[in-house]
Amino acid sequence: MLKFILRRFGSSFLVLLGASLLLYVLTINSGDPLKDLRESNADNREYLIEQRIDFMGLDQPWYARYWDWLTGVGKCVIGQCDLGTNRSGQQVIDLLGLAAASTLRLVVLATVIAMVFGVLIGILTAIRQYSGIDYVVTFLTFMFFSLPVFWAAVLLKEYLAIGFNDWLASPDPGFSWPTIIVVGLVLGLALQAVLAGNARRRLFTFLGAFVFTCAALPYMDWLNFARYPQLGPVVITLVGVAAAVGATVLGAGLKNRRVLYAGLITAVLGLVAYYATYGLLWDPNWLIILILAVVAIGVAIAIGRLMGGYSKGAATLVSVFTAVVMGGLIIVEHLFRSWPSYLEIVGRPIATIGSETPNFTGTFWEDFLDKGTQLLLPTILLALISLASYSRYTRASMLEVSQQDYIRTARAKGLNERQVILKHAFRNSLIPITTIMAFDFAGLIGGAVITEQVFGWKGMGELFRTGLEQVDPAPVMAFFLVTGTAAVLFNLLADILYAVLDPRIRV
């Protein structure tokens, strides 16, 4: 395996070297970097031209400029990267750091959401092949995949940002009864399609969801939830217990009481942590949250190991999942607490452009809300577009695996459907999905150029586009360095994951 990895690294290095040379030559020959100054009427035009020639090294032959760039990149080995300056004299390494941080903040969450929900939707549609929900999901995913990014971004800005902000700014923001009925009908139809069953079960599921919606939305209006949201210990406990039970059903089955008790104990300790950390989380910092997260995961692992018995692995997973859910709910509760004060500062919370409010000052949670609301629209857009590929690949892979002999053998041995799907079919269907995940994440690190431009994000895509427009090779090569290296590393990671998922590949 080590020999294989080293060989791949060697071949990848040669590919990156050749590609960098080609891209450098293409970039410097794509236009005139002095065009705007040659057409200028400024009195100091000649000085500006000489200054730009000096910054960009235009008085040197192309191979000398490329060698200077390659030498600067080679210094990264000793931690002294020198990626040169752009045509304005700014250090590209500084611009790259800001652009990479902005892009990662934009695409990581969208990619994770698309992966998780895409895989879940793919499994569901594979299980319900050719059912009503399969056709509806297929139609929706391909529709989202086919949407022009700029047009979908405009729709999100109009209805999810401007429309919501106008509704929230009204004297009495509330849900009208036609809206409540439509939401109840849609939720009821979707839930009965997902849960399936006979006609009676579907009817009760639909009626239950509809009645719950018609009761919950007016109650939220009465609480003025839009301006003063809250969860409270009761809701946090109920959701935590539901997470523990649901994870037990999927991971081990409700008959395995040890696993169930591990999850329930974690949920109860999460409620204790809600009160114990309330003052500590009033205005924390990232270090405090990281320490608390590590402690929570450690306690969850300990509970799973102590309570699991012969099912220590399943109990640990259920306990950790429950701890993550409880921790997330506690963070949401603190965000809800800061929402009214945040509204007083910004007025219209859902932003349509930029990655953060300029010169924003507030508490930790208010700053968190500011960056989160700026992130909302582009995250939804990227997740919806990426959702189709993950769901379709998962569905196709699951259907192919389900026809294999070992799946029929597993059912013939008497294993329940949960074990057949999760422990046999799903794991083996992950191999082709792993490739898509690796390359998709590597590609997104390069930045969503159109999305960044529409929403005013100064990320990797913006860095690349600006470099090309200005015929400036330094930003373009910095972009290539990050994205090319990411593509190679994630390709290698996919190969290693193959061996983890399927031991036969190791041979």
Side-chain angles (χ1 to χ4, degrees):
M1 191 65 172
L2 180 60
K3 183 179 178 181
F4 166 75
I5 294 175
L6 293 176
R7 188 168 63 248
R8 288 295 302 273
F9 267 122
S11 60
S12 300
F13 174 76
L14 294 177
V15 170
L16 286 175
L17 184 63
S20 67
L21 176 61
L22 178 61
L23 181 61
Y24 196 93
V25 173
L26 290 175
T27 302
I28 63 177
N29 287 285
S30 61
D32 182 9
L34 302 175
K35 181 180 178 181
D36 59 321
L37 294 181
R38 297 187 199 281
E39 298 173 352
S40 173
N41 294 323
D43 295 334
N44 61 340
R45 184 184 67 171
E46 296 301 324
Y47 171 75
L48 294 176
I49 290 176
E50 292 178 3
Q51 188 179 44
R52 184 174 295 180
I53 290 174
D54 181 58
F55 283 146
M56 299 181 65
L58 298 178
D59 54 343
Q60 302 177 25
W62 69 267
Y63 51 84
R65 296 167 61 192
Y66 174 75
W67 178 254
D68 289 341
W69 175 82
L70 194 61
T71 304
V73 172
K75 294 179 181 178
C76 293
V77 178
I78 58 175
Q80 298 178 357
C81 287
D82 181 12
L83 302 183
T85 59
N86 65 0
R87 73 178 196 175
S88 300
Q90 297 172 293
Q91 289 293 326
V92 173
I93 188 67
D94 297 331
L95 298 176
L96 180 64
L98 296 174
S102 180
T103 290
L104 287 176
R105 189 154 60 92
L106 174 63
V107 304
V108 168
L109 182 60
T111 305
V112 171
I113 291 174
M115 287 179 182
V116 173
F117 284 95
V119 169
L120 291 177
I121 291 172
I123 295 174
L124 178 64
T125 52
I127 297 173
R128 308 276 175 80
Q129 186 183 16
Y130 302 136
S131 64
I133 190 173
D134 185 23
Y135 288 122
V136 171
V137 169
T138 299
F139 169 76
L140 291 177
T141 52
F142 277 109
M143 182 184 70
F144 291 142
F145 185 76
S146 303
L147 285 177
V149 175
F150 55 87
W151 182 70
V154 171
L155 292 181
L156 288 177
K157 286 184 177 184
E158 177 65 27
Y159 296 105
L160 200 58
I162 299 174
F164 177 80
N165 290 334
D166 291 342
W167 174 77
L168 195 61
S170 62
D172 184 23
F175 299 102
S176 63
W177 274 106
T179 301
I180 294 173
I181 292 173
V182 170
V183 172
L185 291 173
V186 172
L187 182 62
L189 290 172
L191 197 59
Q192 64 85 24
V194 171
L195 297 180
N198 55 37
R200 183 177 179 182
R201 178 179 175 181
R202 287 176 178 268
L203 178 61
F204 278 111
T205 302
F206 171 79
L207 291 176
F210 181 76
V211 171
F212 173 80
T213 304
C214 292
L217 293 185
Y219 179 68
M220 292 171 66
D221 280 344
W222 180 72
L223 292 175
N224 199 5
F225 190 85
R227 290 199 179 101
Y228 302 96
Q230 54 187 304
L231 290 178
V234 175
V235 174
I236 290 176
T237 303
L238 290 176
V239 175
V241 169
V245 173
T248 303
V249 170
L250 292 176
L254 283 178
K255 293 182 179 180
N256 195 326
R257 297 298 181 185
R258 286 184 171 272
V259 175
L260 177 61
Y261 293 155
L264 293 177
I265 290 173
T266 305
V268 172
L269 290 180
L271 179 62
V272 174
Y274 167 73
Y275 288 104
T277 62
Y278 199 86
L280 190 62
L281 292 176
W282 187 262
D283 189 15
N285 53 50
W286 285 111
L287 179 61
I288 292 176
I289 292 180
L290 179 61
I291 292 174
L292 291 177
V294 171
V295 172
I297 298 298
V299 171
I301 292 174
I303 292 173
R305 303 293 294 179
L306 291 174
M307 295 294 300
Y310 291 108
S311 303
K312 291 181 179 179
T316 301
L317 290 176
V318 170
S319 184
V320 169
F321 176 77
T322 307
V324 171
V325 171
M326 293 296 291
L329 290 172
I330 291 173
I331 289 177
V332 169
E333 175 69 5
H334 284 277
L335 290 173
F336 280 178
R337 175 182 57 80
S338 301
W339 179 255
S341 59
Y342 176 69
L343 285 182
E344 293 180 2
I345 297 174
V346 298
R348 300 176 67 84
I350 308 300
T352 58
I353 193 166
S355 57
E356 59 184 282
T357 302
N359 303 319
F360 181 85
T361 56
T363 65
F364 173 84
W365 296 116
E366 289 168 352
D367 185 66
F368 192 107
L369 284 170
D370 180 63
K371 291 183 171 62
T373 52
Q374 301 276 358
L375 198 62
L376 181 64
L377 297 186
T379 297
I380 293 175
L381 179 62
L382 292 175
L384 287 178
I385 293 173
S386 301
L387 200 64
S389 58
Y390 288 111
S391 62
R392 302 316 294 173
Y393 272 102
T394 303
R395 180 182 182 274
S397 185
M398 284 286 292
L399 290 176
E400 181 181 359
V401 168
S402 64
Q403 304 299 320
Q404 300 298 317
D405 291 338
Y406 59 84
I407 298 296
R408 287 192 290 269
T409 303
R411 290 195 172 100
K413 288 166 61 178
L415 295 179
N416 60 50
E417 197 64 15
R418 174 187 57 81
Q419 291 175 311
V420 172
I421 293 173
L422 295 180
K423 293 187 177 182
H424 293 270
F426 178 59
R427 176 167 177 170
N428 288 280
S429 67
L430 275 177
I431 294 177
I433 301 171
T434 301
T435 305
I436 304 300
M437 289 181 176
F439 281 103
D440 188 51
F441 191 78
L444 283 175
I445 289 178
V449 179
I450 298 177
T451 304
E452 289 180 8
Q453 188 169 2
V454 171
F455 289 103
W457 280 67
K458 303 298 182 181
M460 294 292 291
E462 176 71 15
L463 183 72
F464 179 73
R465 184 183 63 83
T466 303
L468 286 181
E469 288 180 351
Q470 298 179 350
V471 198
D472 189 354
V476 175
M477 299 308 295
F479 170 88
F480 168 80
L481 184 65
V482 173
T483 55
T485 304
V488 170
L489 291 179
F490 277 99
N491 188 20
L492 180 61
L493 179 62
D495 290 340
I496 295 174
L497 287 176
Y498 288 165
V500 174
L501 294 171
D502 189 349
R504 293 173 300 178
I505 297 177
R506 303 172 193 172
V507 180

